[in-house]
Amino acid sequence: MVKINLEACKGFIRQEALQAYQQKALAAFDTLMAGNGEGNDFLGWKTLPDETPESLVSACEKVRDDWKAKGVELVVVIGIGGSYLGAKCAIEALSHAFVRPQGVPQVVFAGNGLSEDYLSELLDLAKMRSTAVVVISKSGTTTEPAVAFRIFKDFLEKTYGKAEAAQRIVAVTDKSRGALKTLADREGYATFVVPDDVGGRFSVLTPVGLVPIAVAGFDIRAMLRGAAAQKKALLEKSVSNPAIQYAAMRNLLHSEGGKAVEILVTYEPKLTYLAEWWKQLYGESEGKDGKGIYPASVADTADLHSMGQFIQEGSRIMFETVVSVEKSHRTLTIGTDPDNLDQLNFLAGQTVGHCNAMATLGTRLAHIDGGVPQLSLSIEKIDEENLGAIFYFFEFACGISAYVLGVNPFNQPGVEAYKKNMFALLNKPGYEEKTAEILKRIQQ
Ligand code: PA5
Protein backbone atom coordinates (compact mmCIF):
# COMPACT_ATOMS: atom_id res chain seq x y z
CA MET A 1 0.00 0.00 0.00
CA VAL A 2 1.17 3.49 -0.78
CA LYS A 3 1.78 5.92 2.06
CA ILE A 4 2.07 9.66 1.53
CA ASN A 5 3.78 12.36 3.56
CA LEU A 6 3.48 16.01 2.55
CA GLU A 7 5.01 17.62 5.66
CA ALA A 8 8.03 18.81 3.68
CA CYS A 9 5.78 20.88 1.37
CA LYS A 10 4.42 23.00 4.19
CA GLY A 11 7.08 25.69 3.98
CA PHE A 12 6.24 26.26 0.32
CA ILE A 13 2.47 26.71 0.42
CA ARG A 14 -0.22 28.80 2.03
CA GLN A 15 -2.63 26.80 4.19
CA GLU A 16 -5.71 28.53 2.71
CA ALA A 17 -4.50 27.74 -0.80
CA LEU A 18 -4.04 24.10 0.18
CA GLN A 19 -7.58 23.97 1.49
CA ALA A 20 -8.86 25.42 -1.79
CA TYR A 21 -6.98 22.78 -3.79
CA GLN A 22 -8.19 20.04 -1.47
CA GLN A 23 -11.74 21.14 -2.27
CA LYS A 24 -10.98 21.03 -6.00
CA ALA A 25 -9.51 17.53 -5.58
CA LEU A 26 -12.56 16.37 -3.62
CA ALA A 27 -14.81 17.63 -6.43
CA ALA A 28 -12.58 15.88 -9.00
CA PHE A 29 -12.80 12.69 -6.90
CA ASP A 30 -16.60 12.90 -7.12
CA THR A 31 -16.39 13.32 -10.90
CA LEU A 32 -14.10 10.31 -11.23
CA MET A 33 -16.22 8.16 -8.94
CA ALA A 34 -19.49 9.16 -10.60
CA GLY A 35 -17.96 8.65 -14.05
CA ASN A 36 -19.50 11.85 -15.39
CA GLY A 37 -16.33 13.72 -16.40
CA GLU A 38 -14.60 14.10 -19.75
CA GLY A 39 -13.33 10.84 -21.21
CA ASN A 40 -15.74 8.81 -19.10
CA ASP A 41 -15.92 6.08 -21.73
CA PHE A 42 -12.36 5.14 -20.63
CA LEU A 43 -12.93 4.30 -16.98
CA GLY A 44 -12.70 0.50 -17.26
CA TRP A 45 -9.34 0.52 -15.41
CA LYS A 46 -11.09 1.54 -12.18
CA THR A 47 -12.64 -1.89 -11.59
CA LEU A 48 -9.92 -4.13 -13.03
CA PRO A 49 -8.37 -5.13 -9.67
CA ASP A 50 -11.49 -6.82 -8.35
CA GLU A 51 -13.37 -7.61 -11.53
CA THR A 52 -10.70 -9.47 -13.48
CA PRO A 53 -12.18 -12.96 -13.95
CA GLU A 54 -10.33 -16.04 -12.76
CA SER A 55 -10.59 -17.43 -16.32
CA LEU A 56 -8.49 -14.50 -17.62
CA VAL A 57 -5.83 -14.89 -14.93
CA SER A 58 -5.56 -18.63 -15.62
CA ALA A 59 -5.39 -18.00 -19.37
CA CYS A 60 -2.37 -15.70 -18.83
CA GLU A 61 -0.74 -18.37 -16.65
CA LYS A 62 -1.47 -21.01 -19.29
CA VAL A 63 0.66 -19.13 -21.81
CA ARG A 64 3.50 -19.26 -19.27
CA ASP A 65 2.99 -23.01 -18.68
CA ASP A 66 2.60 -23.93 -22.36
CA TRP A 67 5.77 -22.11 -23.33
CA LYS A 68 7.63 -23.58 -20.38
CA ALA A 69 6.59 -27.06 -21.56
CA LYS A 70 7.98 -26.23 -25.02
CA GLY A 71 11.29 -25.10 -23.50
CA VAL A 72 10.93 -21.47 -24.61
CA GLU A 73 14.02 -19.55 -23.47
CA LEU A 74 13.36 -16.09 -24.90
CA VAL A 75 10.09 -14.16 -25.08
CA VAL A 76 10.06 -11.01 -27.21
CA VAL A 77 7.29 -8.67 -26.03
CA ILE A 78 6.39 -6.29 -28.85
CA GLY A 79 4.56 -3.05 -28.00
CA ILE A 80 5.01 0.67 -27.42
CA GLY A 81 3.80 3.32 -24.95
CA GLY A 82 1.01 1.96 -22.80
CA SER A 83 1.39 -1.39 -24.52
CA TYR A 84 4.97 -1.64 -23.23
CA LEU A 85 5.85 0.42 -20.17
CA GLY A 86 3.72 -1.28 -17.51
CA ALA A 87 5.08 -4.75 -18.22
CA LYS A 88 8.62 -3.41 -18.58
CA CYS A 89 8.28 -1.63 -15.23
CA ALA A 90 6.96 -4.68 -13.38
CA ILE A 91 9.46 -7.11 -14.87
CA GLU A 92 12.43 -4.79 -14.16
CA ALA A 93 11.23 -4.20 -10.62
CA LEU A 94 10.64 -7.87 -9.79
CA SER A 95 13.57 -9.53 -11.54
CA HIS A 96 16.96 -10.28 -10.02
CA ALA A 97 19.19 -7.60 -11.46
CA PHE A 98 21.71 -10.09 -12.89
CA VAL A 99 20.60 -13.72 -12.64
CA ARG A 100 17.54 -15.42 -14.12
CA PRO A 101 16.08 -18.44 -12.30
CA GLN A 102 16.32 -21.82 -14.08
CA GLY A 103 13.39 -22.59 -16.35
CA VAL A 104 12.20 -18.99 -16.63
CA PRO A 105 12.51 -17.38 -20.07
CA GLN A 106 14.35 -14.14 -20.63
CA VAL A 107 11.76 -11.46 -21.46
CA VAL A 108 12.93 -8.68 -23.77
CA PHE A 109 11.07 -5.85 -25.47
CA ALA A 110 10.81 -4.73 -29.09
CA GLY A 111 8.56 -2.51 -31.17
CA ASN A 112 9.16 0.41 -28.79
CA GLY A 113 11.26 2.22 -31.36
CA LEU A 114 12.57 1.91 -34.90
CA SER A 115 16.25 1.27 -34.29
CA GLU A 116 17.61 -1.02 -36.98
CA ASP A 117 20.59 -2.08 -34.86
CA TYR A 118 18.41 -2.89 -31.84
CA LEU A 119 16.11 -5.17 -33.87
CA SER A 120 19.03 -6.78 -35.70
CA GLU A 121 20.83 -7.54 -32.45
CA LEU A 122 17.64 -8.93 -30.94
CA LEU A 123 17.32 -11.25 -33.95
CA ASP A 124 20.90 -12.37 -33.26
CA LEU A 125 19.78 -13.38 -29.76
CA ALA A 126 16.56 -15.01 -31.01
CA LYS A 127 18.62 -17.20 -33.36
CA MET A 128 20.49 -18.57 -30.33
CA ARG A 129 17.39 -19.28 -28.19
CA SER A 130 14.07 -21.08 -28.38
CA THR A 131 11.92 -18.00 -28.97
CA ALA A 132 8.28 -16.92 -28.62
CA VAL A 133 6.55 -13.56 -29.13
CA VAL A 134 3.82 -11.60 -27.34
CA VAL A 135 2.61 -8.85 -29.67
CA ILE A 136 0.57 -6.10 -28.00
CA SER A 137 -1.30 -3.31 -29.74
CA LYS A 138 -4.73 -2.11 -28.74
CA SER A 139 -5.35 -0.35 -32.04
CA GLY A 140 -3.52 -3.07 -33.92
CA THR A 141 -2.20 -0.46 -36.31
CA THR A 142 0.73 1.22 -34.52
CA THR A 143 3.72 1.35 -36.87
CA GLU A 144 6.62 0.59 -34.51
CA PRO A 145 5.23 -2.68 -33.10
CA ALA A 146 3.78 -3.64 -36.50
CA VAL A 147 7.25 -3.36 -38.10
CA ALA A 148 8.88 -5.39 -35.30
CA PHE A 149 6.14 -8.00 -35.47
CA ARG A 150 6.42 -8.42 -39.23
CA ILE A 151 10.15 -9.11 -38.77
CA PHE A 152 9.72 -11.53 -35.85
CA LYS A 153 6.75 -13.34 -37.42
CA ASP A 154 8.87 -13.97 -40.50
CA PHE A 155 11.76 -15.13 -38.30
CA LEU A 156 9.55 -17.54 -36.32
CA GLU A 157 7.90 -18.98 -39.43
CA LYS A 158 11.26 -19.56 -41.15
CA THR A 159 12.76 -21.05 -37.99
CA TYR A 160 9.92 -23.27 -36.74
CA GLY A 161 7.46 -23.55 -39.66
CA LYS A 162 4.12 -21.76 -39.88
CA ALA A 163 2.15 -24.12 -37.62
CA GLU A 164 4.68 -24.12 -34.77
CA ALA A 165 5.24 -20.35 -35.15
CA ALA A 166 1.52 -19.84 -34.54
CA GLN A 167 1.90 -21.71 -31.24
CA ARG A 168 4.71 -19.35 -30.30
CA ILE A 169 2.80 -16.14 -30.89
CA VAL A 170 0.25 -14.57 -28.57
CA ALA A 171 -1.58 -11.40 -29.62
CA VAL A 172 -3.06 -8.86 -27.20
CA THR A 173 -5.34 -6.49 -29.07
CA ASP A 174 -8.84 -5.08 -29.58
CA LYS A 175 -11.68 -7.59 -29.46
CA SER A 176 -12.78 -7.02 -33.04
CA ARG A 177 -10.92 -4.18 -34.82
CA GLY A 178 -7.49 -3.56 -36.29
CA ALA A 179 -4.97 -5.26 -38.51
CA LEU A 180 -3.47 -7.31 -35.66
CA LYS A 181 -6.86 -8.81 -34.78
CA THR A 182 -7.45 -9.78 -38.43
CA LEU A 183 -3.99 -11.32 -38.65
CA ALA A 184 -4.33 -13.17 -35.32
CA ASP A 185 -7.69 -14.66 -36.33
CA ARG A 186 -6.40 -15.74 -39.71
CA GLU A 187 -3.23 -17.30 -38.37
CA GLY A 188 -4.90 -18.87 -35.32
CA TYR A 189 -2.82 -17.16 -32.61
CA ALA A 190 -3.97 -17.28 -29.00
CA THR A 191 -5.52 -13.85 -28.46
CA PHE A 192 -6.22 -11.68 -25.43
CA VAL A 193 -8.51 -8.66 -25.46
CA VAL A 194 -7.65 -5.11 -24.42
CA PRO A 195 -10.99 -3.81 -23.11
CA ASP A 196 -12.54 -0.97 -25.15
CA ASP A 197 -12.85 1.22 -22.07
CA VAL A 198 -9.20 1.01 -20.94
CA GLY A 199 -6.64 3.31 -22.59
CA GLY A 200 -3.06 2.19 -23.17
CA ARG A 201 -1.41 3.97 -20.25
CA PHE A 202 -4.06 2.64 -17.85
CA SER A 203 -3.79 -0.95 -19.13
CA VAL A 204 -1.07 -2.57 -17.02
CA LEU A 205 -3.64 -4.66 -15.11
CA THR A 206 -5.24 -5.96 -18.33
CA PRO A 207 -3.62 -8.71 -20.45
CA VAL A 208 -1.34 -5.94 -21.80
CA GLY A 209 0.62 -6.21 -18.55
CA LEU A 210 -0.62 -9.50 -17.16
CA VAL A 211 0.50 -11.77 -20.02
CA PRO A 212 4.16 -10.62 -20.13
CA ILE A 213 4.40 -10.39 -16.33
CA ALA A 214 3.04 -13.95 -15.93
CA VAL A 215 5.33 -15.27 -18.68
CA ALA A 216 8.29 -13.69 -16.86
CA GLY A 217 7.40 -15.86 -13.85
CA PHE A 218 5.72 -13.33 -11.56
CA ASP A 219 2.56 -13.62 -9.50
CA ILE A 220 -0.16 -11.68 -11.29
CA ARG A 221 -2.73 -12.75 -8.72
CA ALA A 222 -0.73 -10.97 -6.01
CA MET A 223 -0.45 -7.91 -8.25
CA LEU A 224 -4.22 -7.75 -8.70
CA ARG A 225 -4.66 -8.34 -4.94
CA GLY A 226 -2.37 -5.41 -4.15
CA ALA A 227 -4.24 -3.19 -6.58
CA ALA A 228 -7.58 -4.24 -5.07
CA ALA A 229 -6.39 -3.41 -1.55
CA GLN A 230 -5.14 -0.02 -2.74
CA LYS A 231 -8.42 0.63 -4.54
CA LYS A 232 -10.32 -0.01 -1.32
CA ALA A 233 -8.07 2.42 0.52
CA LEU A 234 -8.75 5.16 -2.05
CA LEU A 235 -12.53 5.00 -2.00
CA GLU A 236 -13.02 7.37 0.92
CA LYS A 237 -13.93 10.95 0.04
CA SER A 238 -11.63 12.67 2.48
CA VAL A 239 -8.64 15.01 2.53
CA SER A 240 -6.67 12.18 4.14
CA ASN A 241 -7.18 10.02 1.02
CA PRO A 242 -3.58 9.81 -0.34
CA ALA A 243 -4.69 10.15 -3.98
CA ILE A 244 -6.63 13.31 -3.15
CA GLN A 245 -3.67 14.64 -1.17
CA TYR A 246 -1.23 13.97 -4.01
CA ALA A 247 -3.52 15.47 -6.67
CA ALA A 248 -4.21 18.57 -4.56
CA MET A 249 -0.58 19.23 -3.65
CA ARG A 250 0.90 18.78 -7.13
CA ASN A 251 -1.74 21.08 -8.66
CA LEU A 252 -1.20 23.67 -5.93
CA LEU A 253 2.57 23.65 -6.40
CA HIS A 254 2.04 23.99 -10.14
CA SER A 255 -0.70 26.60 -10.27
CA GLU A 256 0.16 28.79 -7.30
CA GLY A 257 3.79 27.84 -6.69
CA GLY A 258 4.75 28.25 -10.35
CA LYS A 259 6.40 24.82 -10.52
CA ALA A 260 6.34 23.55 -14.09
CA VAL A 261 8.18 20.26 -13.53
CA GLU A 262 7.61 17.29 -11.24
CA ILE A 263 10.59 14.99 -10.81
CA LEU A 264 9.84 11.44 -9.70
CA VAL A 265 12.81 10.37 -7.60
CA THR A 266 13.71 6.75 -6.93
CA TYR A 267 16.59 5.30 -4.91
CA GLU A 268 16.23 1.74 -6.21
CA PRO A 269 17.57 0.99 -9.71
CA LYS A 270 14.78 -1.56 -10.07
CA LEU A 271 12.25 1.27 -9.98
CA THR A 272 13.76 3.24 -12.86
CA TYR A 273 10.99 1.99 -15.16
CA LEU A 274 8.34 2.83 -12.60
CA ALA A 275 9.34 6.41 -13.33
CA GLU A 276 9.17 5.79 -17.10
CA TRP A 277 5.67 4.33 -16.74
CA TRP A 278 4.61 7.22 -14.47
CA LYS A 279 5.98 9.78 -16.95
CA GLN A 280 3.79 8.39 -19.70
CA LEU A 281 0.76 8.19 -17.41
CA TYR A 282 1.00 11.79 -16.27
CA GLY A 283 2.54 13.28 -19.42
CA GLU A 284 -0.07 11.89 -21.81
CA SER A 285 -2.95 12.38 -19.40
CA GLU A 286 -2.24 15.99 -18.43
CA GLY A 287 -0.07 17.54 -21.13
CA LYS A 288 -2.70 19.08 -23.41
CA ASP A 289 -4.61 22.29 -24.09
CA GLY A 290 -1.40 24.22 -23.28
CA LYS A 291 -1.51 22.87 -19.71
CA GLY A 292 0.22 20.31 -17.53
CA ILE A 293 3.15 19.62 -15.24
CA TYR A 294 6.14 18.25 -17.16
CA PRO A 295 6.92 14.83 -15.65
CA ALA A 296 10.63 14.11 -15.30
CA SER A 297 12.61 11.59 -13.28
CA VAL A 298 15.94 10.92 -11.63
CA ALA A 299 17.41 7.64 -10.41
CA ASP A 300 19.37 8.45 -7.28
CA THR A 301 21.91 8.27 -5.88
CA ALA A 302 23.42 7.97 -9.39
CA ASP A 303 21.73 11.12 -10.69
CA LEU A 304 22.80 13.17 -7.67
CA HIS A 305 26.16 13.10 -9.43
CA SER A 306 24.69 14.45 -12.65
CA MET A 307 21.36 16.22 -12.19
CA GLY A 308 21.86 16.92 -8.47
CA GLN A 309 23.60 20.24 -9.16
CA PHE A 310 20.68 21.53 -11.25
CA ILE A 311 18.06 20.38 -8.77
CA GLN A 312 19.96 22.01 -5.90
CA GLU A 313 20.80 25.33 -7.54
CA GLY A 314 19.42 25.64 -11.07
CA SER A 315 16.17 27.30 -12.24
CA ARG A 316 13.58 26.87 -9.48
CA ILE A 317 11.02 25.25 -11.75
CA MET A 318 10.53 21.89 -10.06
CA PHE A 319 9.21 19.95 -7.13
CA GLU A 320 10.12 16.36 -6.35
CA THR A 321 8.05 13.30 -5.53
CA VAL A 322 10.29 10.78 -3.82
CA VAL A 323 9.22 7.13 -3.98
CA SER A 324 10.91 5.22 -1.14
CA VAL A 325 10.96 1.54 -0.34
CA GLU A 326 10.83 0.80 3.39
CA LYS A 327 12.45 -2.65 3.38
CA SER A 328 15.00 -4.15 1.04
CA HIS A 329 14.84 -7.89 0.42
CA ARG A 330 18.46 -8.45 1.40
CA THR A 331 20.83 -7.04 4.01
CA LEU A 332 24.43 -6.14 3.26
CA THR A 333 26.60 -4.90 6.11
CA ILE A 334 29.73 -2.84 5.56
CA GLY A 335 32.75 -4.50 7.21
CA THR A 336 35.65 -3.14 9.27
CA ASP A 337 39.04 -2.75 7.64
CA PRO A 338 41.94 -2.53 10.11
CA ASP A 339 43.97 -0.37 7.69
CA ASN A 340 41.02 1.96 6.96
CA LEU A 341 42.84 3.37 3.96
CA ASP A 342 39.48 4.19 2.35
CA GLN A 343 38.55 5.99 5.61
CA LEU A 344 35.22 4.22 5.70
CA ASN A 345 35.42 2.65 9.14
CA PHE A 346 32.85 5.18 10.36
CA LEU A 347 30.37 3.09 8.35
CA ALA A 348 31.54 -0.28 9.69
CA GLY A 349 28.60 -2.31 10.96
CA GLN A 350 26.03 -0.22 9.09
CA THR A 351 23.98 -1.64 6.25
CA VAL A 352 24.06 -0.32 2.69
CA GLY A 353 20.29 0.15 3.06
CA HIS A 354 20.85 2.48 6.01
CA CYS A 355 23.32 4.51 3.91
CA ASN A 356 20.70 4.70 1.13
CA ALA A 357 18.05 5.88 3.61
CA MET A 358 20.41 8.55 4.98
CA ALA A 359 21.30 9.64 1.43
CA THR A 360 17.56 9.98 0.74
CA LEU A 361 16.95 12.00 3.89
CA GLY A 362 20.04 14.19 3.43
CA THR A 363 19.11 14.92 -0.16
CA ARG A 364 15.52 15.77 0.73
CA LEU A 365 16.70 18.23 3.37
CA ALA A 366 19.23 19.78 1.01
CA HIS A 367 16.63 20.15 -1.76
CA ILE A 368 14.15 21.75 0.65
CA ASP A 369 16.90 24.23 1.57
CA GLY A 370 17.42 24.75 -2.17
CA GLY A 371 13.76 25.66 -2.68
CA VAL A 372 12.50 22.35 -4.07
CA PRO A 373 9.28 21.14 -2.37
CA GLN A 374 9.32 17.46 -1.51
CA LEU A 375 6.36 15.07 -1.71
CA SER A 376 7.04 11.67 -0.25
CA LEU A 377 5.46 8.36 -1.24
CA SER A 378 6.51 5.00 0.12
CA ILE A 379 5.80 1.32 -0.32
CA GLU A 380 6.82 -1.40 2.11
CA LYS A 381 8.90 -3.44 -0.34
CA ILE A 382 9.26 -4.21 -4.01
CA ASP A 383 6.95 -7.13 -4.71
CA GLU A 384 3.91 -7.90 -6.82
CA GLU A 385 1.38 -6.65 -4.26
CA ASN A 386 3.08 -3.33 -3.73
CA LEU A 387 3.55 -2.80 -7.46
CA GLY A 388 -0.14 -3.49 -8.04
CA ALA A 389 -0.88 -0.97 -5.31
CA ILE A 390 1.36 1.76 -6.69
CA PHE A 391 0.06 1.25 -10.24
CA TYR A 392 -3.49 1.71 -9.02
CA PHE A 393 -2.57 4.63 -6.77
CA PHE A 394 -0.94 6.58 -9.58
CA GLU A 395 -3.76 5.83 -12.05
CA PHE A 396 -6.47 6.89 -9.64
CA ALA A 397 -4.57 10.02 -8.54
CA CYS A 398 -3.92 10.86 -12.20
CA GLY A 399 -7.65 10.86 -12.97
CA ILE A 400 -8.29 13.22 -10.05
CA SER A 401 -5.30 15.42 -10.82
CA ALA A 402 -6.19 15.88 -14.50
CA TYR A 403 -9.74 16.85 -13.59
CA VAL A 404 -8.37 19.40 -11.11
CA LEU A 405 -6.18 20.76 -13.91
CA GLY A 406 -9.22 20.88 -16.18
CA VAL A 407 -8.23 18.45 -18.93
CA ASN A 408 -9.54 15.13 -20.22
CA PRO A 409 -7.19 12.55 -18.63
CA PHE A 410 -8.05 9.81 -21.08
CA ASN A 411 -7.30 11.12 -24.57
CA GLN A 412 -4.02 11.86 -26.36
CA PRO A 413 -4.82 13.86 -29.50
CA GLY A 414 -1.28 15.27 -29.70
CA VAL A 415 0.40 11.95 -30.49
CA GLU A 416 -1.14 11.92 -33.97
CA ALA A 417 0.94 14.86 -35.25
CA TYR A 418 4.23 13.00 -35.67
CA LYS A 419 2.46 9.96 -37.11
CA LYS A 420 0.92 11.98 -39.95
CA ASN A 421 4.33 13.38 -40.91
CA MET A 422 6.04 10.00 -40.64
CA PHE A 423 3.39 8.29 -42.79
CA ALA A 424 3.65 11.06 -45.37
CA LEU A 425 7.45 10.78 -45.44
CA LEU A 426 7.18 6.98 -45.81
CA ASN A 427 4.70 7.41 -48.69
CA LYS A 428 1.80 5.63 -47.00
CA PRO A 429 -1.19 5.50 -49.37
CA GLY A 430 -3.70 8.22 -48.49
CA TYR A 431 -1.05 10.72 -47.34
CA GLU A 432 -0.07 12.09 -50.78
CA GLU A 433 -1.20 15.65 -50.05
CA LYS A 434 0.70 15.73 -46.77
CA THR A 435 3.79 14.30 -48.49
CA ALA A 436 3.77 17.11 -51.04
CA GLU A 437 3.30 19.70 -48.28
CA ILE A 438 6.20 18.32 -46.20
CA LEU A 439 8.55 18.04 -49.17
CA LYS A 440 7.88 21.67 -50.00
CA ARG A 441 8.52 22.63 -46.37
CA ILE A 442 11.83 20.79 -46.05
CA GLN A 443 13.12 22.07 -49.39
CA GLN A 444 12.68 25.69 -48.32
O1 PA5 B 1 -1.44 5.37 -23.76
C1 PA5 B 1 -1.68 5.25 -24.96
O2 PA5 B 1 -2.82 5.21 -25.39
C2 PA5 B 1 -0.54 5.08 -25.95
O3 PA5 B 1 0.69 5.20 -25.34
C3 PA5 B 1 -0.63 3.71 -26.61
O4 PA5 B 1 -0.55 2.73 -25.63
C4 PA5 B 1 0.49 3.52 -27.63
O5 PA5 B 1 0.43 4.52 -28.61
C5 PA5 B 1 0.38 2.17 -28.30
O6 PA5 B 1 -0.88 2.01 -28.90
P1 PA5 B 1 -1.41 0.63 -29.38
O7 PA5 B 1 -1.55 -0.27 -28.22
O8 PA5 B 1 -2.71 0.91 -30.05
O9 PA5 B 1 -0.39 0.07 -30.36
Side-chain angles (χ1 to χ4, degrees), residues 260-281:
V261 177
E262 176 175 5
I263 304 177
L264 198 84
V265 187
T266 54
Y267 281 81
E268 287 293 340
K270 286 177 186 222
L271 293 184
T272 302
Y273 269 88
L274 175 69
E276 296 305 314
W277 172 83
W278 169 86
K279 284 194 280 194
Q280 189 206 354
L281 181 64

Side-chain angles (χ1 to χ4, degrees), residues 311-358:
I311 297 168
Q312 190 69 45
E313 293 182 346
S315 308
R316 303 295 73 195
I317 54 173
M318 78 286 280
F319 64 91
E320 290 186 308
T321 297
V322 182
V323 177
S324 312
V325 179
E326 287 161 14
K327 291 183 200 156
S328 41
H329 289 286
R330 314 264 289 268
T331 302
L332 200 54
T333 306
I334 300 164
T336 310
D337 181 338
D339 296 332
N340 196 26
L341 292 178
D342 55 10
Q343 298 177 6
L344 267 190
N345 273 353
F346 75 100
L347 290 179
Q350 315 236 30
T351 63
V352 176
H354 177 70
C355 297
N356 204 18
M358 293 308 103

Side-chain angles (χ1 to χ4, degrees), residues 49-71:
D50 30 36
E51 287 184 8
T52 299
E54 166 58 32
S55 56
L56 176 55
V57 177
S58 342
C60 298
E61 292 169 340
K62 186 171 179 305
V63 176
R64 173 197 67 199
D65 297 343
D66 288 352
W67 284 353
K68 188 170 180 184
K70 268 188 198 300

Side-chain angles (χ1 to χ4, degrees), residues 178-239:
L180 180 57
K181 174 64 183 162
T182 312
L183 185 63
D185 285 349
R186 207 194 64 188
E187 304 285 352
Y189 305 150
T191 304
F192 289 81
V193 172
V194 190
D196 281 346
D197 57 357
V198 182
R201 57 191 174 276
F202 288 82
S203 70
V204 58
L205 298 175
T206 72
V208 170
L210 298 180
V211 172
I213 295 167
V215 164
F218 300 112
D219 185 351
I220 54 175
R221 291 168 192 271
M223 189 166 282
L224 288 165
R225 223 173 25 245
Q230 186 67 61
K231 173 175 181 259
K232 208 167 158 202
L234 298 178
L235 292 180
E236 193 194 349
K237 185 184 175 188
S238 147
V239 291

Side-chain angles (χ1 to χ4, degrees), residues 80-83 136-140 142 145 199-201 280 284 412 419:
I80 194 165
S83 291
I136 308 172
S137 178
K138 185 180 180 192
S139 63
T142 308
R201 57 191 174 276
Q280 189 206 354
E284 251 182 20
Q412 53 286 328
K419 288 185 193 169

